[in-house]
Amino acid sequence: MREQLGISAEHLCACLQEHYHLIPAALDFLPLGLDYRAGVYRIVSEQGASYLLKVRSGTLYEPGCLVPAYLSDQGITSVVAPLPTRNHALWARREDWTVIVYPFLEGETSWRGMTDEQWKETGSIFKQIHQVAPPSSGFESLRKETFDPTGYAQWIRIFETQHLHASSGESTSRQALRSSWIENQATIHAVVASLEQLAVVLHRRNLPYVICHADLHPANLLRDRTGRVFVIDWDEVMLAPKERDFLFIKESPTDSETLPGTPAFFQGYGQADLDWIALTYYRYERVIQDVIACAENVCLRDDLGEESRADEAQLFQDVLAEGGEIDAATQASAHLSPDLTIPIRRNA
């Protein structure tokens, strides 16, 4: 369950009026997404127009707004970009909050709602995105792939030292996560070891870098009532090998039950020449990112209710026990041991 943010509707309305000349007649919180530091609202203006309002606390990753606006300006109209403020900025600030307004698109973002034609269209869209060169200036803060798993390994060592021991008054969600972590500790360590091994190989390669959405999956592909596909949620955008955007796309025919539109995606994208080492690295990395995100939400945050923590503890178990596996074909192509299969979170 998503909880509302700690900013009042009055503050949001004042910010919208000041920065966007937008006076909401309705402001409805939408319990969407997995980022507990951000929330989305549907706005209906006094004139009857609908907008999507995104509000987040903490430091804004500016390329998440700048890059989709740039891609949209390059003619990729399927990229959903923020609307400008009255001063032509792509976001506004209100106290400790960042406010971003988007056009509101009616559509579907279910995990299994994509048709083959929509997957084909998605492949074509990402081919265009990957062919756009970033501007020579203005994107200095855009993250670039380093293939460095050191931070993950350090985080896990510190977490295990501080949080794998039972304590009095421990919540049910913390108990559940701690028990599941201990049960799957060997698997977690094996994933980190695989990341470190793959990173050594990738550092010797000279893979070309492109603009990557870096969180491509059906929930970030909105399909409107006409069936057209729009790419939303650019919070993870970065410069990386194109394989970063193929994390949730599986080429092997044995994966057809997981994502039935995958062959159609590559029909739209064209010849991909996948680097399986890079793709395997990204699949393992996603597992560790999900493990860390769940553990942080359950054990390290004070602003979540117990119901939300319980949801995260359950999701942690799903990641390690019921998610999709890194398939044997992928591991063989990457020269990995075929006996290590790792689940991947599907509803990120």
Side-chain angles (χ1 to χ4, degrees), residues 124 303 332:
S124 177
D303 57 336

Side-chain angles (χ1 to χ4, degrees), residues 186-208:
T187 298
I188 294 170
H189 290 183
V191 176
V192 174
S194 294
L195 272 179
E196 292 170 337
Q197 294 167 11
L198 291 168
V200 171
V201 176
L202 290 165
H203 283 152
R204 297 196 294 262
R205 299 191 173 214
N206 188 27
L207 298 177

Side-chain angles (χ1 to χ4, degrees), residues 148-165 181 185 188-189 192-193 196 288 291-292 295 300:
D148 182 8
T150 304
Y152 301 133
Q154 291 176 342
W155 193 98
I156 287 171
R157 282 196 298 270
I158 293 171
F159 179 84
E160 290 182 340
T161 300
Q162 298 178 348
H163 296 279
L164 288 195
H165 304 288
W181 186 293
Q185 192 170 21
I188 294 170
H189 290 183
V192 174
E196 292 170 337
I288 291 301
V291 163
I292 291 174
L300 303 179

Side-chain angles (χ1 to χ4, degrees), residues 12 34 81 280 321:
L12 289 176
L34 291 172
T280 305

Side-chain angles (χ1 to χ4, degrees), residues 174-185 188 313 316-318 320-321:
R174 293 194 183 197
Q175 291 176 11
L177 186 133
R178 180 171 49 80
S179 297
S180 183
W181 186 293
I182 292 172
E183 180 181 350
N184 294 280
Q185 192 170 21
I188 294 170
F316 179 86
Q317 295 181 41
D318 294 343
L320 291 172

Side-chain angles (χ1 to χ4, degrees), residues 207 212 241-247 272-275 278-279 282:
L207 298 177
C212 286
K242 64 183 182 301
E243 285 77 12
R244 186 65 183 83
D245 276 340
F246 298 156
L247 177 62
D273 294 325
L274 294 180
D275 187 296
L279 183 56
Y282 285 129

Side-chain angles (χ1 to χ4, degrees), residues 195-234:
L195 272 179
E196 292 170 337
Q197 294 167 11
L198 291 168
V200 171
V201 176
L202 290 165
H203 283 152
R204 297 196 294 262
R205 299 191 173 214
N206 188 27
L207 298 177
Y209 281 30
V210 299
I211 295 175
C212 286
H213 179 277
D215 198 17
L216 169 58
H217 54 79
N220 285 334
L221 298 171
L222 186 146
R223 290 82 71 186
D224 72 7
R225 292 172 176 174
T226 69
R228 184 180 174 187
V229 177
F230 294 88
V231 186
I232 61 176
D233 195 351
W234 287 81

